[in-house]
Amino acid sequence: MGYYDETEITREHKKPRRSFKPVLSSIISGVVGGALVLGVTTFTNDQQPSVTETNQAVETAAQNESSTSTANTQALSTGSNSIADIVDSLSPAIVGITNLQTQTTGDIFQNSTGESVESGTGSGVIFKKEGDAGYIITNNHVIEGAQSIEVTLYSGDKVEAELVGTDALTDIAVLKINAEHVTVVAEMGDSSELRTGEDVIAIGNPLGEEFTRTVTQGIISGVDRTIDVTTSEGNWALDVLQTDAAINPGNSGGPLINMSGQVIGINSLKITESGVEGLGFAIPSNDVLPIAEELMNNGKIQRPFLGVGLVEMSEIPQYYLQEQMNLPEDVKEGVVVGTVSPNSPADEAGLQQQDVIVSMNDQAITNASDLRKFLYTETEIGDEVDVTLYRAGEKVTVKIKLTTSEATNA
């Protein structure tokens, strides 16, 4: 119908193009801006966060409004109107999220003023009520960079939310509102029990308040999917559920729900390549809950910290790898150390710029995403890992003891 909303957040799936300069330090200065210093958690929002996946545009669903009333999500009808019953029960727990950022304007006399403007919107779900607080799960990309966050309740009332914590890699954020606004808490289900072909519904706020609490129905199209995404913390392989339930701009952060009325996923992104339909993705509830609980406890996710900025080998011309860095011709995969954070575990172990990491604990590392996945899922803070690398043509194995980012000045 030609509807267009300027506030929608999208994740475009585009391969960035980089130019090479003949000196690695020049290469690094052009690339390290997008390279991750592992373990450092800083969050920014360019108002249109991006996600990359080869030759595909991945559009996140983000928009505004919905949530709070009364109902019992554990006593649902199994009759012909069960979907309607689920919607009636859960809708009060679905909220709209508005990302507000300060915009500075000036007049002809050079007087400047700042005002909060809507930078992006999405959905969220109330998943816990404790004491005088109600807690909401949404996507990190919905609230990233916000100066303030506004929640639109089921009643239509708007209240300010406090950011409890956020994690860019897993795209999860937790917000807090006053418990007096919470009348329904959604029940979280077990995503590990899902089977391909199961019926699911999505509830969210596509294209603004005009379409608040829109319900779409579909099935679980696939489990154990992995989507390569680019976040403000670097590239990451995100584990997701695939569904053909319509996920539109504004659904980001909203729930994917099974036929027992339980939230089994948080809708996050979809593929929007021309000619592709019905490829939406949600973060499984079993992945969401541990992240949400740690964010509630610590405000951020504590991960093992290495302390290097990474440059993909594909970003560096082959002749430079071989002639300037003396990398053997048969070494085709790995990741290049672009920077080493002072006093970090990598620094203390003697890692250097231009080192090419090829394995950790004998597990092959082919790119930066592999390294992060290994570091964050296979190791713990305090572990010692054997890092195998090439330095000036020589193969070297270095032992590194992992810490947290707080232990360094990185």
Side-chain angles (χ1 to χ4, degrees):
M1 69 181 184
Y3 190 97
Y4 176 73
D5 184 353
E6 295 180 335
T7 67
E8 74 179 55
I9 296 178
T10 60
R11 286 178 168 181
E12 298 182 62
H13 202 58
K14 298 179 181 177
K15 182 81 172 177
R17 305 178 75 182
R18 304 184 189 272
S19 62
F20 170 72
K21 297 182 181 179
V23 180
L24 183 61
S25 60
S26 299
I27 296 173
I28 291 168
S29 68
V31 177
V32 168
L36 171 68
V37 177
L38 293 177
V40 178
T41 54
T42 58
F43 310 107
T44 59
N45 183 12
D46 292 328
Q47 302 171 353
Q48 288 192 327
S50 64
V51 164
T52 60
E53 183 186 35
T54 306
N55 298 324
Q56 293 177 325
V58 178
E59 176 181 306
T60 64
Q63 206 75 313
N64 189 340
E65 150 129 278
S66 163
S67 179
T68 39
S69 210
T70 52
N72 181 356
T73 62
Q74 301 187 23
L76 302 174
S77 166
T78 56
S80 59
N81 293 325
S82 60
I83 290 179
D85 292 341
I86 291 171
V87 173
D88 285 344
S89 298
L90 279 183
S91 285
I94 316 301
V95 300
I97 310 291
T98 302
N99 179 325
L100 298 173
Q101 299 187 19
T102 302
Q103 183 179 71
T104 302
T105 57
D107 58 24
I108 60 174
F109 301 105
Q110 305 300 312
N111 296 315
S112 62
T113 58
E115 60 175 344
S116 291
V117 297
E118 185 179 286
S119 176
T121 57
S123 304
V125 58
I126 301 171
F127 76 107
K128 184 169 287 190
K129 181 179 179 180
E130 285 184 351
D132 61 356
Y135 295 92
I136 299 166
I137 291 175
T138 187
N139 285 143
N140 168 75
H141 74 261
V142 172
I143 55 81
E144 196 166 33
Q147 268 81 52
S148 61
I149 302 169
E150 186 178 75
V151 168
T152 304
L153 305 171
Y154 178 74
S155 63
D157 294 336
K158 299 178 185 296
V159 298
E160 186 172 354
E162 176 186 341
L163 178 61
V164 175
T166 186
D167 183 52
L169 287 181
T170 57
D171 200 21
I172 296 297
V174 175
L175 313 178
K176 181 169 68 173
I177 59 175
N178 194 297
E180 68 181 10
H181 303 303
V182 178
T183 56
V184 172
V185 174
E187 179 184 355
M188 303 297 286
D190 185 353
S191 57
S192 69
E193 296 183 351
L194 289 171
R195 297 181 300 162
T196 301
E198 282 192 43
D199 290 331
V200 289
I201 61 174
I203 304 178
N205 307 295
L207 305 181
E209 296 185 14
E210 181 181 358
F211 301 108
T212 181
R213 294 184 303 282
T214 291
V215 180
T216 56
Q217 181 183 12
I219 62 171
I220 294 293
S221 305
V223 296
D224 299 326
R225 302 293 199 216
T226 300
I227 297 290
D228 292 328
V229 298
T230 292
T231 75
S232 58
E233 288 297 297
N235 296 333
W236 183 246
L238 186 65
D239 295 329
V240 292
L241 303 169
Q242 181 185 335
T243 181
D244 67 349
I247 306 296
N248 294 297
N251 284 111
S252 272
L256 190 67
I257 304 160
N258 65 16
M259 290 300 100
S260 294
Q262 299 170 320
V263 176
I264 47 80
I266 298 298
N267 299 316
S268 183
L269 48 91
K270 71 174 183 178
I271 293 175
T272 58
E273 184 180 350
S274 177
V276 175
E277 295 182 2
L279 287 178
F281 301 95
I283 306 166
S285 58
N286 286 13
D287 292 348
V288 170
L289 275 177
I291 296 294
E293 289 169 359
E294 187 168 348
L295 290 175
M296 290 174 63
N297 292 331
N298 301 318
K300 58 184 175 181
I301 304 302
Q302 297 278 13
R303 292 189 172 96
F305 177 74
L306 187 61
V308 293
L310 303 175
V311 181
E312 300 286 1
M313 283 181 62
S314 60
E315 303 286 350
I316 303 174
Q318 193 65 32
Y319 80 85
Y320 191 92
L321 291 171
Q322 293 174 2
E323 296 179 10
Q324 302 297 321
M325 297 170 57
N326 296 317
L327 189 68
E329 291 186 13
D330 60 344
V331 179
K332 303 296 184 183
E333 296 179 326
V335 62
V336 181
V337 174
T339 59
V340 180
S341 298
N343 303 319
S344 67
D347 186 29
E348 293 181 358
L351 261 64
Q352 301 174 13
Q353 189 181 76
Q354 299 190 32
D355 286 347
V356 179
I357 298 173
V358 294
S359 72
M360 299 181 75
N361 284 357
D362 295 325
Q363 182 170 317
I365 301 297
T366 63
N367 52 40
S369 183
D370 276 356
L371 190 149
R372 293 186 187 96
K373 198 73 173 180
F374 173 83
L375 198 65
Y376 299 157
T377 63
E378 302 293 332
T379 70
E380 297 181 358
I381 295 167
D383 284 355
E384 286 190 339
V385 296
D386 292 325
V387 178
T388 301
L389 54 89
Y390 283 89
R391 177 180 298 158
E394 296 292 327
K395 190 174 184 179
V396 179
T397 297
V398 178
K399 190 176 292 292
I400 301 178
K401 185 173 182 178
L402 304 173
T403 64
T404 63
S405 58
E406 288 80 8
T408 77
N409 62 0

